[in-house]
Amino acid sequence: MNPKQITSQENPKFKAALKLLTNRGRQQRDQIVIFGVRETLRAIDAGANIAEIYICGDILKPEVFASAETRLATLGKPIWDLPLNLFTRLAYGDRVDGMLAVAARPNSDLSRIALNKSPLVIVLESVEKPGNIGAVARSADAIGATALLLASPITDLFHPNSIRASLGCIFSLQTAVAESETVKLWLLQNKLSIVAAEPDAKALYTTVDLKKPTAIVLGNEARGLSKIWADDEVQCVRLPMRGLADSLNVSVTAAVMMFEAARQRIG
C-alpha cells in the first residue's frame, strides 16, 4: 500500500479536510473526522462508511501502520500522507499519533434504534461539552447499554472530541438525536421506565429498579434537565453527596448510574 503525498496547504483535499474541523463544515458535507489510530480502526470495525484516510509518516510508527494495513487495504479508500506541519493542523489536540479518517456521518434517526427484551437506554439532554458525550459513550459501551440518545442537542454527537473521548467506542453504540419531546414520547411508547438524575431528588439511585427496561436521563452541565422531565412519568434520583460538592460531572454521574444498572442486572 503506497499512500499518496500531499505537500501543499493549497491542495483541495487538505483544504476540504480542514473544513471538517468546524461544525458548519461537517454539516455541509454530512461527514465527520476521526482522530487516532485506535479510533479509526474501531470505526472501521463497526462498519463506518470511511471516505479517506490521512496519515503522517513522520510520526506514525511503522509497526502500527503495518498492523492496520490489512484493514485499511480492505476498505479500498485513498490514503493521503501529509508532512507534520500539515497533519498537525488537522489533528489538533495533545494526542497526535499519525492517523485520522474522514467518514460519512452515521444515521442518527431515532426510528432506527432497535430495542432488546430488557433495554438500557442512556439519554443526554443538551449536554454542552463533546468530551462529556464521549466519556458517557465509553461507559455505555463498557456496560453494554442498548443505545445513547441526545435530546435537544447543542453540540455535535460526532464532534471530533466526542469520538476521541469515547476512544472510538461511540461507533459500537446505537445512537440517535432528536428533540426532548420526541425522545420522551419514544421512551414511553416503548414502555421504558424513565429514571432522571436530579441533585435535589429524594430517592437514591440505588433504591430504584434498573433491571426492567429503563432509560437513564441526564441533563445539561449547568442547568440540569428541562421541565419536560418534571412529571409523574419520570422518577428522579440522586447520588449521595457527603462533601462540599452538590453534584458530579455529568459523565461521572452517568457512569455511576450505568454501573449500578449493570450490577443489578448481573445480580
Side-chain angles (χ1 to χ4, degrees):
M1 183 183 300
N2 295 311
K4 300 176 182 179
Q5 300 288 323
I6 291 179
T7 58
S8 170
Q9 65 179 1
E10 298 304 320
N11 183 286
K13 281 288 182 183
F14 174 76
K15 294 171 74 173
L18 201 60
K19 291 180 179 180
L20 293 177
L21 300 185
T22 68
N23 287 332
R24 182 178 180 182
R26 292 191 297 275
Q27 291 171 358
Q28 287 179 338
R29 292 179 56 185
D30 206 24
Q31 289 183 316
I32 61 174
V33 59
I34 305 164
F35 296 141
V37 175
R38 174 169 46 189
E39 291 81 354
T40 296
L41 295 180
R42 284 180 174 173
I44 292 170
D45 291 344
N49 184 6
I50 304 295
E52 52 198 4
I53 305 287
Y54 290 84
I55 66 169
C56 178
D58 295 332
I59 55 177
L60 180 61
K61 295 179 180 179
E63 63 272 21
V64 173
F65 183 68
S67 67
E69 195 167 7
T70 300
R71 276 184 279 180
L72 296 178
T74 302
L75 291 174
K77 302 297 182 179
I79 300 179
W80 306 95
D81 190 357
L82 303 177
L84 183 59
N85 66 310
L86 295 186
F87 188 85
T88 52
R89 288 182 61 188
L90 289 180
Y92 66 93
D94 59 0
R95 188 173 62 79
V96 178
D97 57 15
M99 183 180 292
L100 64 87
V102 173
R105 177 177 293 278
N107 190 318
S108 59
D109 190 340
L110 188 57
S111 65
R112 296 181 66 255
I113 300 296
L115 299 178
N116 52 26
K117 291 182 179 180
S118 186
L120 180 63
V121 174
I122 313 305
V123 179
L124 298 179
E125 183 186 48
S126 301
V127 168
E128 293 183 17
K129 297 180 180 179
N132 282 337
I133 294 173
V136 172
R138 185 175 175 182
S139 296
D141 170 80
I143 60 97
T146 308
L148 171 64
L149 311 181
L150 291 198
S152 296
I154 56 178
T155 193
D156 185 1
L157 172 62
F158 289 99
H159 187 286
N161 283 342
S162 297
I163 298 171
R164 181 155 57 182
S166 79
L167 299 183
C169 293
I170 198 167
F171 295 106
S172 70
L173 292 167
Q174 295 189 95
T175 55
V177 176
E179 292 304 305
S180 293
E181 296 91 338
T182 302
V183 170
K184 184 181 179 184
L185 179 60
W186 183 87
L187 296 174
L188 294 173
Q189 287 175 338
N190 284 282
K191 296 179 171 53
L192 271 73
S193 173
I194 303 175
V195 179
E198 286 280 17
D200 57 354
K202 293 182 179 180
L204 290 177
Y205 75 105
T206 51
T207 63
V208 298
D209 181 6
L210 300 174
K211 298 187 293 295
K212 58 187 177 182
T214 301
I216 295 175
V217 185
L218 303 104
N220 177 273
E221 293 93 336
R223 301 185 301 275
L225 289 166
S226 69
K227 294 181 180 179
I228 292 169
W229 307 97
D231 58 34
D232 293 339
E233 295 170 319
V234 178
Q235 183 171 8
C236 294
V237 300
R238 64 179 173 86
L239 274 61
M241 305 297 295
R242 298 188 173 90
L244 295 176
D246 61 359
S247 64
L248 299 176
N249 178 280
V250 63
S251 66
V252 177
T253 300
V256 170
M257 292 185 65
M258 281 189 274
F259 275 89
E260 170 62 15
R263 185 195 66 80
Q264 290 187 20
R265 291 167 181 231
I266 293 172

